[in-house]
Coordinates of all heavy atoms in Angstrom, one line a residue:
M279 N 0.8 -1.2 0.0 CA 0.0 0.0 0.0 C 0.9 1.2 0.0 O 1.8 1.4 0.9 CB -0.9 -0.1 1.2 CG -1.8 1.1 1.3 SD -2.9 0.9 2.7 CE -4.4 1.4 2.0
P280 N 0.7 2.2 -0.9 CA 1.5 3.3 -1.0 C 1.3 4.3 0.2 O 0.2 4.3 0.8 CB 1.1 4.0 -2.3 CG -0.1 3.5 -2.6 CD -0.2 2.1 -2.0
R281 N 2.3 5.0 0.5 CA 2.2 5.9 1.6 C 1.4 7.2 1.2 O 1.2 7.4 -0.1 CB 3.6 6.4 2.1 CG 4.4 5.2 2.6 CD 5.8 5.6 2.9 NE 5.8 6.4 4.1 CZ 6.8 7.3 4.3 NH1 7.7 7.5 3.4 NH2 6.7 8.1 5.4
K282 N 0.9 8.0 2.1 CA 0.2 9.2 1.7 C 1.1 10.4 1.7 O 2.1 10.4 2.3 CB -0.8 9.5 2.9 CG -1.9 8.3 3.0 CD -2.8 8.3 1.7 CE -3.9 7.2 1.9 NZ -4.7 7.1 0.7
V283 N 0.6 11.5 1.0 CA 1.4 12.7 0.8 C 1.7 13.2 2.2 O 2.8 13.8 2.5 CB 0.7 13.7 -0.1 CG1 1.4 15.0 -0.1 CG2 0.8 13.2 -1.5
R284 N 0.7 13.1 3.1 CA 0.8 13.7 4.5 C 2.0 13.0 5.3 O 2.7 13.6 6.1 CB -0.4 13.6 5.3 CG -0.8 12.3 5.8 CD -2.0 12.4 6.7 NE -3.2 12.7 6.1 CZ -4.1 11.9 5.5 NH1 -3.9 10.6 5.6 NH2 -5.2 12.4 5.0
Q285 N 2.3 11.7 4.9 CA 3.4 11.0 5.5 C 4.7 11.5 5.1 O 5.7 11.6 5.8 CB 3.2 9.5 5.4 CG 2.0 8.9 6.1 CD 1.7 7.4 5.6 OE1 1.7 7.2 4.5 NE2 1.5 6.6 6.6
L286 N 4.9 11.8 3.8 CA 6.0 12.4 3.2 C 6.3 13.7 3.9 O 7.5 14.0 4.3 CB 5.9 12.5 1.7 CG 5.7 11.2 1.0 CD1 5.7 11.6 -0.6 CD2 6.8 10.2 1.3
I287 N 5.2 14.6 4.1 CA 5.5 15.9 4.6 C 5.9 15.8 6.0 O 6.8 16.4 6.5 CB 4.1 16.6 4.6 CG1 3.8 17.0 3.1 CG2 4.1 17.9 5.5 CD1 2.4 17.5 2.9
A288 N 5.4 14.8 6.8 CA 5.7 14.6 8.2 C 7.2 14.2 8.3 O 8.0 14.6 9.1 CB 4.9 13.5 8.9
D289 N 7.7 13.3 7.3 CA 9.1 12.8 7.3 C 10.0 14.1 7.1 O 11.0 14.3 7.7 CB 9.4 11.8 6.2 CG 8.7 10.5 6.4 OD1 8.3 10.3 7.7 OD2 8.6 9.7 5.6
L290 N 9.6 15.0 6.1 CA 10.4 16.2 5.8 C 10.5 17.1 7.1 O 11.6 17.6 7.4 CB 9.8 16.9 4.6 CG 10.0 16.3 3.3 CD1 9.2 17.0 2.2 CD2 11.5 16.3 2.9
E291 N 9.4 17.3 7.7 CA 9.4 18.1 8.8 C 10.2 17.6 10.1 O 10.9 18.3 10.8 CB 7.9 18.5 9.3 CG 7.2 19.4 8.4 CD 5.8 19.6 8.5 OE1 5.2 18.9 9.4 OE2 5.2 20.5 7.8
R292 N 10.1 16.3 10.2 CA 11.0 15.7 11.2 C 12.5 15.8 11.0 O 13.2 15.9 11.9 CB 10.6 14.1 11.3 CG 9.9 13.8 12.6 CD 9.7 12.3 12.7 NE 8.3 12.0 12.2 CZ 8.1 11.3 11.1 NH1 9.1 10.6 10.5 NH2 6.9 11.1 10.7
A293 N 12.8 15.9 9.7 CA 14.2 16.0 9.3 C 14.7 17.5 9.3 O 15.9 17.7 8.9 CB 14.4 15.4 7.9
G294 N 13.8 18.4 9.6 CA 14.2 19.8 9.8 C 13.8 20.7 8.6 O 14.2 21.8 8.5
F295 N 13.0 20.2 7.6 CA 12.6 21.0 6.5 C 11.5 21.9 6.9 O 10.6 21.6 7.7 CB 12.2 20.0 5.3 CG 13.3 19.4 4.6 CD1 14.0 18.3 5.1 CD2 13.7 19.9 3.3 CE1 14.9 17.6 4.4 CE2 14.7 19.2 2.6 CZ 15.3 18.2 3.2
V296 N 11.5 23.0 6.3 CA 10.4 24.0 6.5 C 9.6 24.3 5.3 O 10.2 24.5 4.2 CB 11.1 25.3 7.1 CG1 10.0 26.4 7.3 CG2 11.9 25.1 8.3
N297 N 8.3 24.4 5.4 CA 7.5 24.7 4.4 C 7.6 26.1 3.9 O 7.3 27.0 4.7 CB 6.0 24.4 4.7 CG 5.0 24.6 3.5 OD1 5.4 25.0 2.4 ND2 3.8 24.1 3.7
R298 N 8.1 26.4 2.7 CA 8.3 27.8 2.2 C 7.0 28.3 1.4 O 7.2 29.3 0.7 CB 9.5 27.9 1.3 CG 10.8 27.4 2.1 CD 11.1 28.2 3.4 NE 11.4 29.6 3.0 CZ 11.4 30.7 3.7 NH1 11.2 30.5 5.0 NH2 11.7 31.8 3.3
G299 N 6.0 27.5 1.4 CA 4.8 27.9 0.6 C 4.8 27.3 -0.7 O 5.6 26.5 -1.0
G300 N 3.8 27.6 -1.5 CA 3.7 27.1 -2.8 C 2.4 27.6 -3.5 O 1.7 28.4 -2.9
K301 N 2.1 27.1 -4.6 CA 0.9 27.5 -5.3 C 0.0 26.3 -5.6 O 0.5 25.2 -6.1 CB 1.4 28.1 -6.6 CG 0.3 28.9 -7.3 CD 0.9 29.8 -8.4 CE -0.2 30.6 -9.0 NZ 0.3 31.5 -10.0
G302 N -1.2 26.3 -5.3 CA -2.1 25.2 -5.5 C -1.7 24.1 -4.7 O -1.7 24.2 -3.4
S303 N -1.6 22.9 -5.1 CA -1.4 21.7 -4.3 C 0.2 21.6 -4.2 O 0.6 20.5 -3.6 CB -2.0 20.5 -4.9 OG -1.3 20.2 -6.2
H304 N 1.0 22.4 -4.5 CA 2.4 22.3 -4.4 C 2.9 22.9 -3.2 O 2.5 24.1 -2.8 CB 3.1 22.9 -5.6 CG 3.0 22.2 -6.9 ND1 1.7 22.1 -7.6 CD2 3.8 21.4 -7.6 CE1 1.9 21.4 -8.6 NE2 3.1 20.8 -8.7
R305 N 3.9 22.3 -2.6 CA 4.5 22.8 -1.3 C 6.0 22.7 -1.6 O 6.5 21.6 -1.9 CB 4.1 22.0 -0.1 CG 2.7 22.0 0.3 CD 2.4 20.8 1.3 NE 0.9 20.6 1.2 CZ 0.3 19.9 0.2 NH1 1.0 19.4 -0.8 NH2 -1.0 19.7 0.1
N306 N 6.7 23.8 -1.2 CA 8.1 23.9 -1.4 C 8.7 23.8 0.1 O 8.5 24.6 0.9 CB 8.6 25.1 -2.0 CG 8.0 25.3 -3.4 OD1 8.2 24.4 -4.2 ND2 7.3 26.3 -3.7
Y307 N 9.5 22.8 0.3 CA 10.3 22.5 1.5 C 11.8 22.9 1.3 O 12.3 22.5 0.3 CB 10.1 21.1 2.1 CG 8.7 21.0 2.6 CD1 7.6 20.6 1.9 CD2 8.5 21.2 4.0 CE1 6.3 20.5 2.3 CE2 7.2 21.0 4.5 CZ 6.1 20.7 3.7 OH 4.9 20.5 4.3
Q308 N 12.3 23.6 2.4 CA 13.8 23.8 2.3 C 14.4 23.6 3.6 O 13.8 23.7 4.8 CB 13.9 25.3 2.1 CG 15.4 25.7 1.9 CD 15.6 27.2 1.5 OE1 14.5 27.9 1.3 NE2 16.8 27.6 1.4
H309 N 15.6 22.9 3.6 CA 16.3 22.6 4.8 C 17.3 23.7 5.0 O 17.8 24.4 4.1 CB 17.0 21.2 4.6 CG 17.7 20.7 5.8 ND1 18.9 21.0 6.2 CD2 17.1 19.8 6.8 CE1 19.1 20.3 7.4 NE2 18.1 19.7 7.7
P310 N 17.7 24.0 6.3 CA 18.8 25.0 6.6 C 20.1 24.8 5.8 O 20.8 25.8 5.5 CB 19.0 24.9 8.1 CG 17.7 24.4 8.6 CD 17.2 23.4 7.5
K311 N 20.3 23.5 5.3 CA 21.6 23.4 4.5 C 21.4 23.6 3.1 O 22.1 23.1 2.2 CB 22.1 21.9 4.8 CG 22.5 21.6 6.1 CD 23.2 20.3 6.2 CE 23.7 20.0 7.6 NZ 24.3 18.6 7.7
D312 N 20.3 24.2 2.7 CA 19.9 24.7 1.4 C 19.6 23.5 0.4 O 19.8 23.5 -0.7 CB 21.0 25.5 0.7 CG 20.3 26.4 -0.3 OD1 19.3 26.9 -0.2 OD2 21.1 26.7 -1.3
V313 N 19.0 22.5 1.1 CA 18.5 21.3 0.3 C 17.0 21.6 0.1 O 16.3 21.9 1.1 CB 18.7 19.9 1.0 CG1 18.1 18.8 0.2 CG2 20.1 19.8 1.3
R314 N 16.5 21.4 -1.1 CA 15.1 21.8 -1.4 C 14.3 20.6 -2.0 O 15.0 19.8 -2.7 CB 15.0 23.0 -2.3 CG 15.6 24.2 -1.8 CD 15.7 25.4 -2.8 NE 16.5 26.4 -2.3 CZ 16.3 27.7 -2.5 NH1 15.3 28.0 -3.4 NH2 17.0 28.6 -2.0
V315 N 13.1 20.6 -1.8 CA 12.2 19.6 -2.5 C 10.8 20.2 -2.5 O 10.4 20.8 -1.7 CB 12.3 18.3 -1.7 CG1 11.6 18.4 -0.3 CG2 11.5 17.2 -2.3
T316 N 10.1 19.8 -3.7 CA 8.8 20.3 -3.9 C 7.8 19.0 -3.8 O 8.2 18.0 -4.5 CB 8.6 20.9 -5.3 OG1 9.4 22.1 -5.2 CG2 7.2 21.4 -5.5
I317 N 6.7 19.1 -3.1 CA 5.9 17.9 -3.0 C 4.5 18.5 -3.6 O 4.1 19.5 -3.2 CB 5.6 17.6 -1.5 CG1 6.9 17.1 -0.9 CG2 4.5 16.5 -1.4 CD1 7.4 15.8 -1.5
S318 N 3.9 17.7 -4.4 CA 2.6 18.0 -5.0 C 1.5 17.0 -4.6 O 1.9 15.9 -4.3 CB 2.7 18.2 -6.5 OG 3.0 16.9 -7.1
G319 N 0.3 17.4 -4.5 CA -0.8 16.5 -4.3 C -1.4 17.0 -2.9 O -0.8 17.6 -2.0
Q320 N -2.7 16.6 -2.8 CA -3.4 16.8 -1.5 C -2.9 15.8 -0.5 O -2.5 14.7 -0.8 CB -4.9 16.7 -1.7 CG -5.5 17.6 -2.8 CD -5.3 19.0 -2.3 OE1 -5.3 19.4 -1.1 NE2 -5.0 19.9 -3.3
P321 N -3.0 16.2 0.9 CA -2.4 15.3 1.9 C -3.0 13.9 1.9 O -2.3 12.9 2.3 CB -2.8 16.0 3.1 CG -2.9 17.6 2.7 CD -3.4 17.5 1.4
G322 N -4.3 13.8 1.6 CA -4.8 12.4 1.6 C -4.6 11.6 0.4 O -4.9 10.4 0.4
Q323 N -4.0 12.1 -0.6 CA -3.7 11.3 -1.8 C -2.5 10.4 -1.6 O -1.6 10.6 -0.8 CB -3.3 12.2 -3.0 CG -4.4 13.0 -3.5 CD -4.0 13.8 -4.7 OE1 -3.0 14.4 -4.7 NE2 -4.9 14.0 -5.7
D324 N -2.5 9.3 -2.3 CA -1.4 8.4 -2.3 C -0.1 9.0 -2.9 O -0.3 9.7 -4.0 CB -1.7 7.1 -3.1 CG -2.7 6.2 -2.5 OD1 -3.0 6.4 -1.3 OD2 -3.3 5.3 -3.2
A325 N 1.0 8.9 -2.3 CA 2.2 9.4 -2.9 C 2.7 8.5 -4.0 O 2.6 7.3 -4.0 CB 3.3 9.5 -1.8
L326 N 3.3 9.2 -5.0 CA 3.7 8.5 -6.2 C 5.2 8.0 -5.9 O 5.8 8.6 -5.1 CB 3.7 9.4 -7.5 CG 2.3 9.9 -7.9 CD1 2.5 10.9 -8.9 CD2 1.5 8.7 -8.3
P327 N 5.5 6.8 -6.5 CA 6.8 6.2 -6.3 C 8.0 7.3 -6.4 O 8.9 7.3 -5.6 CB 7.0 5.1 -7.3 CG 5.6 4.8 -7.6 CD 4.9 5.9 -7.5
Y328 N 7.9 8.1 -7.4 CA 9.0 9.1 -7.6 C 9.1 10.1 -6.4 O 10.2 10.5 -6.1 CB 8.9 9.8 -9.0 CG 8.0 11.0 -9.0 CD1 8.5 12.3 -8.6 CD2 6.7 10.8 -9.3 CE1 7.6 13.4 -8.6 CE2 5.8 12.0 -9.4 CZ 6.3 13.2 -9.0 OH 5.5 14.3 -9.1
Q329 N 7.9 10.4 -5.8 CA 7.9 11.3 -4.7 C 8.6 10.7 -3.5 O 9.3 11.3 -2.8 CB 6.5 11.8 -4.4 CG 5.9 12.6 -5.4 CD 4.4 12.9 -5.1 OE1 3.6 12.0 -4.8 NE2 3.9 14.2 -5.2
E330 N 8.3 9.4 -3.3 CA 8.9 8.8 -2.1 C 10.4 8.7 -2.3 O 11.1 8.9 -1.3 CB 8.3 7.4 -1.9 CG 6.9 7.4 -1.5 CD 6.3 6.0 -1.2 OE1 7.0 5.3 -0.5 OE2 5.2 5.7 -1.7
R331 N 10.9 8.4 -3.5 CA 12.4 8.3 -3.7 C 13.0 9.7 -3.6 O 14.0 9.9 -3.0 CB 12.6 7.9 -5.1 CG 12.5 6.4 -5.4 CD 13.1 5.9 -6.7 NE 12.6 6.6 -7.8 CZ 11.3 6.2 -8.5 NH1 10.6 5.2 -8.0 NH2 10.9 6.9 -9.5
Q332 N 12.3 10.8 -4.1 CA 12.8 12.1 -4.0 C 13.0 12.6 -2.6 O 13.9 13.1 -2.1 CB 11.9 13.0 -4.8 CG 12.4 14.5 -4.9 CD 11.4 15.3 -5.7 OE1 10.2 15.1 -5.6 NE2 11.9 16.2 -6.5
V333 N 12.0 12.3 -1.8 CA 11.9 12.8 -0.4 C 13.0 12.0 0.4 O 13.8 12.6 1.1 CB 10.6 12.5 0.4 CG1 10.7 12.6 1.8 CG2 9.5 13.5 -0.2
R334 N 13.2 10.7 0.2 CA 14.2 9.9 0.8 C 15.6 10.5 0.5 O 16.5 10.6 1.3 CB 14.1 8.4 0.4 CG 14.9 7.5 1.2 CD 14.8 6.0 0.9 NE 13.4 5.7 0.4 CZ 13.0 5.2 -0.8 NH1 14.0 5.2 -1.7 NH2 11.8 4.9 -1.0
R335 N 15.8 10.7 -0.8 CA 17.2 11.2 -1.2 C 17.5 12.6 -0.7 O 18.6 12.8 -0.3 CB 17.2 11.3 -2.7 CG 17.3 10.0 -3.5 CD 17.4 10.1 -4.9 NE 17.4 8.8 -5.6 CZ 16.8 8.6 -6.7 NH1 16.2 9.6 -7.4 NH2 16.8 7.3 -7.3
Q336 N 16.5 13.5 -0.6 CA 16.7 14.8 -0.1 C 16.9 14.8 1.4 O 17.8 15.5 1.8 CB 15.6 15.7 -0.4 CG 15.4 16.0 -1.9 CD 16.7 16.5 -2.6 OE1 17.6 15.9 -2.8 NE2 16.6 17.8 -2.9
I337 N 16.2 13.9 2.1 CA 16.5 13.8 3.6 C 17.9 13.2 3.8 O 18.7 13.8 4.6 CB 15.5 12.8 4.2 CG1 14.2 13.5 4.2 CG2 16.0 12.4 5.6 CD1 13.0 12.8 4.8
E338 N 18.4 12.3 3.0 CA 19.8 11.7 3.1 C 20.8 12.9 2.7 O 21.7 13.0 3.4 CB 20.0 10.5 2.2 CG 19.2 9.3 2.6 CD 19.2 8.2 1.6 OE1 20.0 8.3 0.5 OE2 18.6 7.1 1.8
E339 N 20.5 13.7 1.7 CA 21.3 14.7 1.3 C 21.4 15.8 2.5 O 22.6 16.3 2.7 CB 20.9 15.5 0.2 CG 21.7 16.5 -0.4 CD 23.0 16.2 -1.1 OE1 23.1 15.0 -1.5 OE2 23.9 16.9 -0.9
S340 N 20.5 16.1 3.2 CA 20.4 17.1 4.3 C 21.1 16.6 5.5 O 21.6 17.4 6.3 CB 19.0 17.4 4.7 OG 18.4 16.4 5.4
Q341 N 21.4 15.2 5.5 CA 22.1 14.8 6.8 C 23.5 14.6 6.6 O 24.3 14.2 7.5 CB 21.5 13.4 7.2 CG 20.0 13.5 7.6 CD 19.5 12.1 7.9 OE1 19.9 11.1 7.4 NE2 18.3 12.2 8.6
R342 N 24.1 15.0 5.4 CA 25.5 14.9 5.1 C 26.2 16.1 5.6 O 25.8 17.1 5.9 CB 25.7 14.8 3.6 CG 25.3 13.5 3.1 CD 25.7 13.5 1.6 NE 25.1 12.3 1.0 CZ 25.1 11.9 -0.2 NH1 25.7 12.8 -1.1 NH2 24.5 10.9 -0.7

């Protein structure tokens, strides 16, 4: 079962990312180390596989 967009957002916020706003269903998150990621979709929608990969990679990048 795919994860929800809200779960990806929670992962980003736990890792120290801050929501910098967005337009429509897009949210731009930025880490203090200048790592950025954009998440699209409503919180209750299933996250797409590329979104899960992107969030995982950006979290790893922010921890270096």
Side-chain angles (χ1 to χ4, degrees):
M279 178 175 229
R281 299 176 68 207
K282 299 292 185 181
V283 170
R284 75 172 65 91
Q285 293 170 311
L286 299 183
I287 291 170
D289 290 347
L290 287 170
E291 290 175 348
R292 251 184 268 117
F295 284 79
V296 177
N297 186 353
R298 304 299 295 166
K301 191 169 187 175
S303 65
H304 290 71
R305 293 163 205 82
N306 298 305
Y307 283 88
Q308 183 174 0
H309 192 271
K311 292 185 178 179
D312 205 34
V313 178
R314 300 171 187 212
V315 63
T316 299
I317 299 294
S318 63
Q320 298 300 322
Q323 287 181 325
D324 291 341
L326 299 172
Y328 83 89
Q329 290 174 313
E330 293 188 44
R331 283 192 304 274
Q332 186 179 35
V333 166
R334 190 177 326 113
R335 285 182 189 146
Q336 295 303 76
I337 290 172
E338 289 172 4
E339 181 70 25
S340 72
Q341 294 173 348
R342 292 184 186 174

